[in-house]
């Protein structure tokens, strides 16, 4: 293991830290260049870049994990590559060959090895691939050139107490249109969630839950994570909707709930008026990992699931199984782990 950076690994939050190297590759005249690692964390782009005016950009979020033996591994990186290409396709941006995407991620992790937190610190290396439309332009049309970059930083839990219950409030606002870009990882969805997030935080909640934009009766997701609930008869349930992000963590949990915990599972409507059906609930995502939901505030009333202070037993088992796989302590289903 190479020498580690001088960082207080056990007390990291989820915030920007400049690491030593990032990868950039440019698309021009119909093809990607080879890409390279650079040290400068500033991007110089045309003032006419479509990413700046028309939101022609998308991104991914993924992590590298240090195992007990000191190895470094990625969790399902080809799923991130595929999802980035779905976002790119809809926003009229060039796709990135999956091997180029994963190779770029590996290069960045290797070059920044000193920033991969030690096993057992509870921290990980968060990786942010970003694809933006650049070049001289002013019309709302696809950009003439594109920049793909990948950078990374060590992070702790996104919700500051980690594996501890957080309360959410239901937003009156929508983050995405019924058949719009909600299912893609594009910046506009996050811009739309900044104000509702601000309101939720101001009222003392961890984040807000969005309801379906058509009827406002069904849970969609949290602004930064998908929702799941465990019913009173031990079923793992998660909302099905075209306007939520298809979370790689959520699909992994659906698989693990069924195959490892032997629970029934379902992707279906989750009615906000029927929260009583759940004995446990959680938010899941790369940054959020699994964050237990203590309660959900709706129409002036806080509906508490398992407890506002303690984590439910099934949420705990799911967390231990997922993290066990990510950190290499539990054997992963085929193809889930890619060594760096
Ligand atoms: N939903 C939203 C809106 C997100 O930003 C994220 C984070 O990536 C997720 C869900 C979880 O997705 P994943 O598990 O692929 O990180
Ligand atoms: C992630 O979990 O990777 C995200 O992108 C969520 C948030 C930090 C924006």
């Amino acid at each position: 293991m190479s020498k580690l950076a001088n960082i207080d690994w056990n007390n990291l939050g989820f915030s920007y830290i400049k690491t030593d190297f990032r990868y950039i590759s440019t698309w021009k005249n119909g093809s990607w260049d080879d890409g390279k690692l650079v040290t400068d964390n500033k991007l110089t782009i045309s003032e006419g870049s479509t990413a700046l005016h028309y939101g022609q950009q998308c991104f991914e979020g993924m992590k590298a994990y240090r195992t007990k033996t000191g190895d470094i591994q990625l969790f399902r990186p080809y799923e991130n590559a595929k999802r980035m290409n779905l976002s790119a396709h809809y926003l009229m941006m060039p796709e990135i060959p999956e091997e180029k995407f994963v190779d770029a991620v590996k290069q960045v992790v290797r070059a920044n090895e000193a920033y991969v937190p030690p096993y057992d610190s509870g921290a990980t290396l968060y990786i942010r691939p970003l694809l933006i439309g650049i070049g001289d332009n002013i019309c709302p049309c696809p950009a003439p050139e594109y920049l793909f970059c990948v950078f990374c930083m060590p992070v702790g839990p996104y919700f500051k107490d980690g594996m501890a219950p957080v309360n959410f409030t239901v937003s009156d606002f929508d983050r995405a249109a019924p058949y719009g870009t909600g299912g893609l990882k594009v910046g506009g969805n996050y811009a739309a969630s900044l104000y509702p997030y601000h309101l939720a935080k101001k009222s003392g909640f961890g984040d807000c839950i969005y309801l379906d934009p058509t009827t406002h009766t069904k849970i969609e997701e949290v602004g930064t994570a998908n929702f799941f609930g465990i019913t009173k008869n031990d079923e793992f349930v998660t909302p099905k909707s075209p306007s939520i992000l298809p979370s790689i963590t959520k699909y992994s949990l659906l698989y693990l709930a069924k195959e490892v915990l032997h629970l029934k599972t379902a992707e279906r409507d989750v009615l906000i008026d029927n929260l009583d059906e759940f004995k446990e609930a959680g938010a899941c995502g790369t940054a959020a990992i699994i964050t237990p939901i203590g309660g959900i505030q709706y129409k002036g009333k806080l509906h508490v699931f398992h407890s506002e202070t303690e984590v439910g037993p099934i949420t705990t088992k799911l967390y231990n199984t997922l993290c066990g796989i990510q950190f290499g302590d539990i054997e992963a289903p085929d193809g889930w782990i890619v060594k760096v």
Side-chain angles (χ1 to χ4, degrees):
M1 199 162 95
S2 74
K3 203 166 162 292
L4 289 182
N6 186 18
I7 285 175
D8 182 4
W9 304 106
N10 295 306
N11 290 302
L12 281 169
F14 193 87
S15 45
Y16 184 83
I17 291 174
K18 181 175 180 281
T19 53
D20 295 340
F21 295 96
R22 63 276 305 124
Y23 170 97
I24 53 169
S25 179
T26 309
W27 184 96
K28 213 172 170 173
N29 302 324
S31 61
W32 288 106
D33 69 13
D34 284 343
K36 59 177 187 234
L37 292 173
V38 297
T39 53
D40 191 356
N41 70 337
K42 306 282 187 298
L43 300 174
T44 303
I45 58 173
S46 165
E47 61 195 355
S49 294
T50 56
L52 300 178
H53 300 258
Y54 305 120
Q56 198 191 21
Q57 68 87 252
C58 61
F59 66 99
E60 275 301 321
M62 50 205 294
K63 283 175 171 173
Y65 304 82
R66 175 96 60 186
T67 68
K68 209 180 264 178
T69 55
D71 290 348
I72 300 171
Q73 57 188 33
L74 303 170
F75 181 69
R76 310 191 75 179
Y78 287 92
E79 296 303 313
N80 294 94
K82 288 191 176 81
R83 191 170 63 187
M84 181 165 249
N85 283 336
L86 291 177
S87 302
H89 180 76
Y90 187 84
L91 264 56
M92 306 287 294
M93 301 197 275
E95 291 184 8
I96 299 158
E98 286 175 25
E99 286 305 334
K100 179 181 178 75
F101 179 101
V102 174
D103 176 60
V105 169
K106 284 185 184 170
Q107 284 192 45
V108 169
V109 175
R110 277 188 201 123
N112 292 295
E113 190 187 339
Y115 293 92
V116 183
Y119 173 82
D120 249 0
S121 62
T124 49
L125 188 77
Y126 185 70
I127 304 157
R128 179 49 68 83
L130 179 68
L131 173 61
I132 62 175
I134 58 166
D136 295 339
N137 174 70
I138 197 56
C139 73
C141 52
E145 293 168 31
Y146 293 87
L147 192 65
F148 170 52
C149 49
V150 181
F151 62 100
C152 67
M153 71 212 69
V155 296
Y158 178 75
F159 291 102
K160 78 174 176 20
D161 295 323
M163 182 56 172
V166 174
N167 290 343
F168 294 125
T169 184
V170 173
S171 175
D172 294 332
F173 299 98
D174 300 322
R175 70 182 271 286
Y179 297 98
T181 55
L184 306 170
K185 204 159 172 66
V186 301
N189 297 340
Y190 297 83
S193 70
L194 293 178
Y195 185 62
Y197 174 76
H198 163 76
L199 294 179
K201 289 295 281 186
K202 213 168 73 171
S203 309
F205 296 95
D207 200 338
C208 51
I209 299 243
Y210 294 93
L211 300 181
D212 73 289
T214 310
T215 69
H216 275 215
T217 58
K218 296 174 265 183
I219 290 188
E220 291 256 289
E221 62 175 326
V222 184
T224 49
N226 275 185
F227 172 90
F228 70 85
I230 310 295
T231 65
K232 288 180 175 157
N233 52 357
D234 288 344
E235 188 173 18
F236 178 99
V237 175
T238 180
K240 189 169 178 63
S241 159
S243 47
I244 65 178
L245 192 76
S247 156
I248 295 160
T249 315
K250 189 262 295 287
Y251 284 112
S252 306
L253 291 177
L254 269 168
Y255 178 90
L256 297 173
K258 185 160 185 239
E259 302 300 331
V260 180
L261 272 61
H262 307 296
L263 304 178
K264 283 181 282 167
T265 60
E267 263 187 294
R268 59 150 165 90
D269 288 348
V270 174
L271 297 175
I272 187 66
D273 278 328
N274 197 20
L275 292 180
D276 258 349
E277 68 172 320
F278 299 116
K279 58 179 180 182
E280 296 179 36
C284 64
T286 300
I289 316 174
I290 289 179
T291 301
I293 302 179
I296 293 180
Q297 175 89 0
Y298 180 56
K299 290 189 176 159
K301 184 174 161 277
L302 184 72
H303 177 97
V304 176
F305 296 99
H306 180 74
S307 151
E308 277 185 87
T309 50
E310 275 166 34
V311 186
I314 296 184
T315 306
T316 304
K317 270 191 208 152
L318 285 168
Y319 181 90
N320 290 340
T321 309
L322 177 71
C323 293
I325 289 171
Q326 291 173 331
F327 283 98
D329 296 328
I330 295 178
E331 196 180 334
D334 264 4
W336 280 21
I337 293 298
V338 171
K339 294 275 180 199
V340 171

